[in-house]
Amino acid sequence: MMRFMLLFSRQGRLRLQKWFTAISEREKKKIIREMTTMVLARPPRTCNFLRWKDLKIVYKRYASLYFCLGVEDEENELLALEIIHRYVELLDKYFGNVCELDIIFNFEKAYFILDEFLMGGEIQETSKQIVNRAIESSDMLQEPAPL
Amino acid sequence: MPAPIRLRELIRTIRTARTQAEEREMIQKECAAIRSSFREEDNTYRCRNVAKLLYMHMLGYPAHFGQLECLKLIASQKFTDKRIGYLGAMLLLDERQDVHLLMTNCIKNDLNHSTQYVQGLALCTLGCMGSSEMCRDLAGEVEKLLKTSNSYLRKKAALCAVHVIRKVPELMEMFLPATKNLLSEKNHGVLHTSVVLLTEMCERSPDMLSHFRKLVPQLVRILKNLIMSGYSPEHDVSGISDPFLQVRILRLLRILGKNDDDSSEAMNDILAQVATNTETSKNVGNAILYETVLTIMDIKSESGLRVLAINILGRFLLNNDKNIRYVALTSLLKTVQTDHNAVQRHRSTIVDCLKDLDVSIKRRAMELSFALVNGNNIRGMMKELLYFLDSCDPDFKADCASGVFLAAEKYAPSKRWHIDTIMRVLTTAGSYVRDDSVPNLIQLITNSVEMHAYTVQRLYKALLDDISQQPLVQVASWCIGEYGDLLVSGQCEEEEPIQVTEDEVLDVLEGLLVSNLSTPVTRGYSLTAIMKLSTRFSSVNRIKKVVSIYGSSIDVELQQRAVEYNALFKKYDHMRPALLERMPIMEKSASNGPTEIVQTNGEAEPSAVESKHPPPVTQPTNQVRTILNTVFIGIPPMTAYSKNGLKIDFTFERANPNPNIAVITIHATNSTEAEMTDFVFQAAVPKTFQLQLLSPSSNVVPALNQGTVTQVIRVLNQQKQQLRMRIKLTYTHKGSAVQDLAEVNNFPPQSWQ
């Protein structure tokens, strides 16, 4: 299973954090710090995989954002890259040519999309269209402009 | 009271802050406003306030005062409230807070809501952060939803069930009936999550595993349809249909096929098909191939399939994509033990990866290269690995050096090659070798008797070039101390002997003593080496002078050595030659740590004399070394003595480097009801033999055969005469002292022939 997914900028500012196991606030902060340090220190053109404690860390940079997945040992790293890519595609379809600002200003929507794609550290839905439709339908249920 | 500031407005404002302090001020102001809004129980804007709180939480600021508000939002009827409330619960609440249990009832109601998106929210929250208590309470609801025909809810219920099982494994049984027709679904989302659920159950319970083996044909069929079916726009990724589902099925097949011949056979064809037909131009195809290879290697596949798998990995190694090379090396490392020959075929590609720029790939390639070294390829492989050692990053050097030493020891084609290899490592990566390499190397050099002159010459020359690498300097000093006489007499056969005088050698050693580059340990080595040369060189006066100078050294260790060596010169000069004699061949054995090696000749005496300084500490552990030299060659054990309840058995080994040395281990047992304390075993042999007695394991022989005292005797029998021994036993038994003398004549002929 996946243990966590983090999104952070090149300056190390956190844009999204999804945790799939119950850990303390302090532990979360520690992991975020270590992930940002480790990933940002990687030279360009190195492979996208790292080992950290007993986990595999799979990361990929899209424009100004780093997507970082911490997965357990049996997970397929190459597929983890596809998972990250699929999430980026979902965001792109929803926001239309997504950029970091979209995720900053609409972080709650980024979470909603993620929660239709993954759950409990596993993939929930493999069809892009179904995920998109679910989000659109949910959006329509929302009361007008509450936030 | 004006409406609270909107979420996007707040985000915009906070982003204008130019300093951390400014940001903190804004956040604090807004938090205060939010708190008072919460206090007023404002229902309209609760959602907005919690959303803002979540944003501030992501920036790293405390937000715990919003936890209860999330619960209120969840209980609201408005969809937006629920959406933000559940998100807040997942971000701010976890099972550590008692508060979280208050969610249970809300979730239960929402699981039965009329709107599927509300049900979805509840399932998602439960499936992400539900505690064990919540899972216990709500498992029934989840199980109900697992049987629904609504695929949107069914897939979520499946993953929720996975979470429940992870939290409360005992509940696994209750989901079993619902799994009956999960795989008949057409919907990919349900299929995928069902496979995840089945996988979780099989991993946790061997009974479930056997139960679900019957699903193998169905899984094979689903996989086949995915591969054979034409283009499906809904699930297509770069021309491959639903790679996520394919990988998950392959993983489940792996678990089901492991250790089961029938299942493995049933999946053989589909695995071959996937392995040969999957498009490899993009990462997604390679992800599937990777999973296929892992499955093939783990189940009982036929050899043709295994070779196919290894060849795929070999092709991966040639791929331009670094990720794929990395993954290939990791997999090959896992399979190198079981499919060694197949992996050997890709050795040259693996060795090429040592030159890769990527650090992770280099490391994997190095580990794999060491695993592939054998007697046939040692020369070629070592050349590559030594070249790698020269140029690699410092982080690698220690591991690489250790690997080289290990490989060289196992497969060295000749002693000369072995010593040359060690020299190469010491001169290129000398400061990175591990501390225990120094005693190991010294042992190796001692045992290569015919190479002594060559070794000391090469080490001397290396010292002339560079005295900064401590392990090299330490080994070199030790060698010069031992074999300095060979050095000055120019006896080297293997290469052109160098002309060097005693004074030049002493200059070098004294140089080490004064150099800032030398550590205290190194200084100790060189002082001892200088001392040893007093019996090998003629310039004794010079040595006496040096030694006496260091008698007042600030370094306590050096001072002690110097003082004791001084004493040797003054009061015990008659013992000096014997004490500083050449070291005997050392044994690499599993037995006890370094002990005082007491040289006895004729009668055995307890050691009152100061022992020579053996090379420092750490006995090579069994993990690092294979037991090479002590070969048990089948000499039958014998009972040497049996009287008054004390029995002494002898067991035999032969020390490999010198066939004239017999190693005897005595085993003393006591069958009486009282223990024997102060037990001392002494032995004497005729004049034509030499005997060494090592320290006993203890001097208490426990009563009633509850333990054994062991002690090692080494007998040098150069004239191959029949072995005889006189033994003397002293011990205290039931308060009185006992002493006995005995002759041992019944040595089996193989022990001395």
Side-chain angles (χ1 to χ4, degrees):
Chain A
M1 66 177 272
M2 293 169 260
R3 292 269 186 93
F4 57 81
M5 180 186 268
L6 303 173
L7 267 70
F8 47 85
S9 70
R10 290 217 281 147
Q11 289 76 36
R13 305 217 66 166
L14 191 67
R15 299 301 178 206
L16 188 140
Q17 50 173 330
K18 187 76 191 175
W19 304 92
F20 296 112
T21 49
I23 51 180
S24 67
E25 198 63 44
R26 201 157 107 224
E27 186 68 31
K28 286 182 194 171
K29 285 208 160 86
K30 183 157 157 274
I31 293 178
I32 293 169
R33 228 182 4 252
E34 287 191 40
M35 288 301 119
T36 32
T37 322
M38 263 187 355
V39 170
L40 292 173
R42 291 280 278 180
R45 286 189 306 272
T46 48
C47 72
N48 297 72
F49 312 130
L50 284 170
R51 274 217 74 91
W52 181 78
K53 300 207 178 156
D54 61 330
L55 297 179
K56 295 184 190 172
I57 307 296
V58 180
Y59 71 93
K60 188 134 192 226
R61 186 172 141 209
Y62 286 84
S64 60
L65 268 182
Y66 282 89
F67 288 70
C68 177
L69 258 182
V71 306
E72 287 179 352
D73 217 30
E74 336 63 76
E75 289 300 318
N76 182 325
E77 300 99 307
L78 299 179
L79 198 73
L81 281 174
E82 293 299 319
I83 292 175
I84 293 176
H85 190 72
R86 173 56 66 91
Y87 183 48
V88 171
E89 284 181 318
L90 291 168
L91 291 169
D92 197 47
K93 182 79 200 297
Y94 183 81
F95 288 108
N97 224 0
V98 67
C99 64
E100 191 185 344
L101 278 178
D102 290 320
I103 300 187
I104 294 170
F105 279 93
N106 302 285
F107 70 94
E108 85 278 12
K109 303 224 174 70
Y111 277 106
F112 297 152
I113 295 171
L114 189 61
D115 287 339
E116 286 295 328
F117 175 42
L118 305 176
M119 184 162 102
E122 305 284 353
I123 298 171
Q124 189 192 138
E125 178 56 65
T126 58
S127 154
K128 277 188 274 190
Q129 288 87 329
I130 293 184
V131 174
N132 284 325
R133 264 182 259 143
I135 293 292
E136 282 163 21
S137 308
S138 301
D139 282 350
M140 291 211 284
L141 284 179
Q142 286 206 171
E143 289 73 20
L147 296 180
Chain B
M1 175 90 210
I5 181 177
R6 286 178 181 276
L7 169 65
R8 325 280 173 214
E9 195 57 47
L10 178 68
I11 297 177
R12 214 184 325 266
T13 312
I14 292 178
R15 280 171 64 79
T16 62
R18 275 160 300 173
T19 64
Q20 184 76 345
E22 213 180 314
E23 182 185 277
R24 216 174 312 135
E25 213 184 295
M26 292 180 187
I27 302 260
Q28 273 171 354
K29 193 160 140 231
E30 185 57 36
C31 274
I34 292 177
R35 278 184 136 115
S36 50
S37 189
F38 285 163
R39 267 197 301 273
E40 286 165 21
E41 296 285 349
D42 180 333
N43 286 336
T44 327
Y45 296 110
R46 182 177 286 124
C47 177
R48 184 185 291 185
N49 286 327
V50 169
K52 288 188 286 188
L53 200 55
L54 292 178
Y55 177 73
M56 297 189 283
H57 175 252
M58 183 139 65
L59 292 179
Y61 296 92
H64 45 272
F65 57 91
Q67 285 166 2
L68 266 171
E69 302 301 314
C70 292
L71 294 176
K72 293 179 196 166
L73 283 175
I74 292 172
S76 155
Q77 286 314 305
K78 292 195 262 189
F79 185 68
T80 320
D81 282 357
K82 282 191 191 287
R83 240 183 165 186
I84 297 291
Y86 276 119
L87 179 60
M90 283 194 273
L91 286 174
L92 300 180
L93 281 172
D94 64 48
E95 47 194 59
R96 278 156 236 272
Q97 282 92 17
D98 298 326
V99 171
H100 86 279
L101 283 171
L102 296 173
M103 268 200 290
T104 316
N105 216 36
C106 283
I107 294 184
K108 185 169 188 173
N109 291 334
D110 283 341
L111 284 174
N112 292 304
H113 204 274
S114 48
T115 312
Q116 66 173 10
Y117 297 107
V118 173
Q119 290 174 292
L121 285 175
L123 278 169
C124 182
T125 308
L126 181 60
C128 274
M129 48 82 68
S131 64
S132 323
E133 297 94 329
M134 280 170 74
C135 288
R136 256 184 249 273
D137 287 340
L138 299 170
E141 304 293 327
V142 176
E143 198 260 343
K144 231 166 45 188
L145 286 169
L146 192 51
K147 298 194 278 224
T148 175
S149 53
N150 180 335
S151 54
Y152 177 76
L153 291 176
R154 208 170 183 203
K155 73 188 182 199
K156 289 183 194 270
L159 285 186
C160 205
V162 171
H163 179 83
V164 169
I165 291 173
R166 282 178 182 155
K167 281 297 198 189
V168 193
E170 309 89 73
L171 291 175
M172 182 159 44
E173 289 289 328
M174 74 182 284
F175 293 107
L176 187 54
T179 62
K180 220 181 283 278
N181 54 0
L182 274 178
L183 289 184
S184 339
E185 266 275 358
K186 289 281 177 272
N187 178 293
H188 281 220
V190 178
L191 265 179
H192 185 276
T193 56
S194 304
V195 172
V196 174
L197 176 59
L198 292 169
T199 308
E200 188 70 29
M201 291 169 114
C202 290
E203 278 175 340
R204 283 181 183 269
S205 156
D207 291 331
M208 292 283 185
L209 181 57
S210 342
H211 173 82
F212 284 125
R213 279 225 173 87
K214 61 179 195 268
L215 293 176
V216 169
Q218 205 173 356
L219 288 165
V220 167
R221 243 188 343 263
I222 297 172
L223 190 53
K224 197 171 188 139
N225 284 338
L226 282 173
I227 302 168
M228 306 296 273
S229 71
Y231 174 73
S232 152
E234 204 174 338
H235 299 108
D236 178 87
V237 180
S238 304
I240 296 184
S241 188
D242 208 338
F244 304 107
L245 182 56
Q246 287 194 37
V247 165
R248 235 29 239 247
I249 292 178
L250 285 163
R251 187 132 58 112
L252 182 54
L253 285 175
R254 178 153 83 241
I255 295 169
L256 294 173
K258 193 166 184 166
N259 293 328
D260 189 272
D261 290 321
D262 293 330
S263 304
S264 301
E265 206 190 308
M267 50 182 86
N268 210 58
D269 286 343
I270 190 68
L271 290 173
Q273 204 176 347
V274 176
T276 38
N277 288 347
T278 307
E279 182 66 47
T280 59
S281 54
K282 293 271 178 67
N283 180 62
V284 60
N286 288 318
I288 295 177
L289 275 179
Y290 176 39
E291 196 74 34
T292 312
V293 165
L294 291 177
T295 301
I296 293 174
M297 300 315 292
D298 234 16
I299 63 172
K300 292 185 168 274
S301 44
E302 48 174 56
S303 59
L305 200 53
R306 294 183 88 86
V307 172
L308 178 59
I310 304 246
N311 288 346
I312 291 177
L313 291 178
R315 273 206 312 277
F316 274 5
L317 283 178
L318 299 166
N319 196 305
N320 281 331
D321 188 334
K322 281 191 216 317
N323 296 328
I324 293 173
R325 291 208 297 277
Y326 176 89
V327 143
L329 287 169
T330 315
S331 314
L332 283 169
L333 202 50
K334 282 191 219 155
T335 63
V336 72
Q337 305 302 333
T338 44
D339 293 84
H340 192 89
N341 291 333
V343 181
Q344 279 283 0
R345 263 177 246 135
H346 300 278
R347 196 177 64 241
S348 51
T349 324
I350 293 168
V351 167
D352 280 340
C353 289
L354 286 172
K355 306 192 183 87
D356 202 298
L357 294 165
D358 186 309
V359 159
S360 324
I361 290 181
K362 272 203 275 225
R363 179 165 283 281
R364 293 269 172 300
M366 179 184 84
E367 288 169 15
L368 197 47
S369 300
F370 279 122
L372 288 175
V373 170
N374 62 28
N376 294 330
N377 58 35
I378 177 75
R379 282 187 195 268
M381 287 296 274
M382 202 48 85
K383 213 159 58 176
E384 297 284 349
L385 287 164
L386 285 172
Y387 181 72
F388 175 69
L389 182 63
D390 281 342
S391 52
C392 68
D393 295 332
D395 321 323
F396 286 99
K397 292 213 188 211
D399 291 328
C400 190
S402 300
V404 167
F405 285 150
L406 259 172
E409 193 179 309
K410 275 205 258 204
Y411 302 112
S414 74
K415 288 222 155 94
R416 159 96 190 248
W417 181 95
H418 196 170
I419 305 250
D420 282 343
T421 306
I422 292 173
M423 289 293 310
R424 176 85 183 269
V425 174
L426 284 179
T427 46
T428 53
S431 20
Y432 299 97
V433 301
R434 293 205 219 287
D435 291 335
D436 64 353
S437 324
V438 173
N440 291 342
L441 289 174
I442 287 176
Q443 190 165 20
L444 173 70
I445 292 171
T446 315
N447 292 347
S448 316
V449 176
E450 62 278 16
M451 304 297 299
H452 285 168
Y454 172 69
T455 312
V456 68
Q457 181 161 298
R458 286 213 55 190
L459 283 168
Y460 179 76
K461 284 201 276 192
L463 266 191
L464 292 177
D465 276 333
D466 173 18
I467 60 168
S468 65
Q469 304 194 82
Q470 300 305 295
L472 172 63
V473 174
Q474 286 167 12
V475 175
S477 317
W478 190 92
C479 274
I480 295 175
E482 274 294 298
Y483 313 120
D485 48 324
L486 299 176
L487 186 59
V488 298
S489 63
Q491 281 183 25
C492 185
E493 285 172 2
E494 300 279 342
E495 63 175 21
E496 184 70 33
I498 57 173
Q499 309 295 335
V500 62
T501 65
E502 291 184 1
D503 277 323
E504 283 170 335
V505 173
L506 288 170
D507 283 341
V508 168
L509 287 176
E510 282 185 48
L512 294 175
L513 275 173
V514 301
S515 164
N516 287 332
L517 296 166
S518 299
T519 62
V521 171
T522 306
R523 291 207 178 93
Y525 269 93
S526 42
L527 187 62
T528 306
I530 293 176
M531 186 61 191
K532 280 197 216 165
L533 289 174
S534 71
T535 56
R536 294 156 174 74
F537 282 4
S538 51
S539 25
V540 181
N541 286 326
R542 177 173 174 179
I543 294 174
K544 269 196 202 167
K545 232 192 290 186
V546 174
V547 166
S548 67
I549 290 173
Y550 280 88
S552 42
S553 159
I554 295 179
D555 181 333
V556 176
E557 172 75 28
L558 270 184
Q559 191 191 103
Q560 179 171 358
R561 282 177 196 237
V563 164
E564 287 173 358
Y565 294 157
N566 251 333
L568 255 186
F569 273 126
K570 297 211 164 62
K571 288 198 279 182
Y572 299 99
D573 206 41
H574 56 287
M575 294 180 96
R576 193 164 46 88
L579 270 179
L580 301 179
E581 223 176 49
R582 279 259 203 282
M583 285 293 247
I585 292 169
M586 291 180 246
E587 280 213 341
K588 268 186 218 162
S589 67
S591 62
N592 336 307
T595 53
E596 291 163 29
I597 298 174
V598 179
Q599 192 86 21
T600 59
N601 224 331
E603 292 291 306
E605 283 171 12
S607 73
V609 140
E610 184 201 74
S611 55
K612 310 183 233 186
H613 286 275
V617 207
T618 48
Q619 188 75 358
T621 62
N622 281 345
Q623 302 165 313
V624 176
R625 300 251 168 251
T626 54
I627 299 170
L628 286 183
N629 290 331
T630 53
V631 175
F632 186 78
I633 55 173
I635 305 175
M638 57 175 267
T639 303
Y641 174 93
S642 180
K643 210 157 132 191
N644 298 330
L646 174 64
K647 183 152 90 94
I648 301 198
D649 291 329
F650 284 4
T651 57
F652 301 91
E653 287 159 5
R654 201 168 279 284
N656 224 347
N658 189 341
N660 294 328
I661 296 183
V663 181
I664 306 170
T665 307
I666 71 147
H667 306 261
T669 48
N670 164 18
S671 59
T672 69
E673 341 82 71
E675 60 180 10
M676 296 170 179
T677 55
D678 303 316
F679 177 79
V680 175
F681 173 91
Q682 292 170 329
V685 288
K687 286 264 179 334
T688 48
F689 298 82
Q690 283 186 33
L691 180 141
Q692 267 183 9
L693 204 53
L694 291 111
S695 302
S697 61
S698 119
N699 54 10
V700 175
V701 193
L704 298 169
N705 293 327
Q706 280 173 14
T708 317
V709 167
T710 57
Q711 195 165 3
V712 175
I713 311 171
R714 289 168 48 171
V715 183
L716 177 62
N717 182 3
Q718 233 142 17
Q719 296 183 20
K720 292 259 190 251
Q721 297 209 340
Q722 179 173 11
L723 181 55
R724 290 173 303 145
M725 197 184 274
R726 194 181 299 159
I727 62 177
K728 178 171 162 191
L729 306 156
T730 50
Y731 56 91
T732 308
H733 187 237
K734 291 186 184 162
S736 44
V738 179
Q739 186 179 293
D740 199 3
L741 281 168
E743 295 244 343
V744 184
N745 291 320
N746 53 334
F747 286 91
Q750 306 100 302
S751 64
W752 50 268
Q753 272 171 349

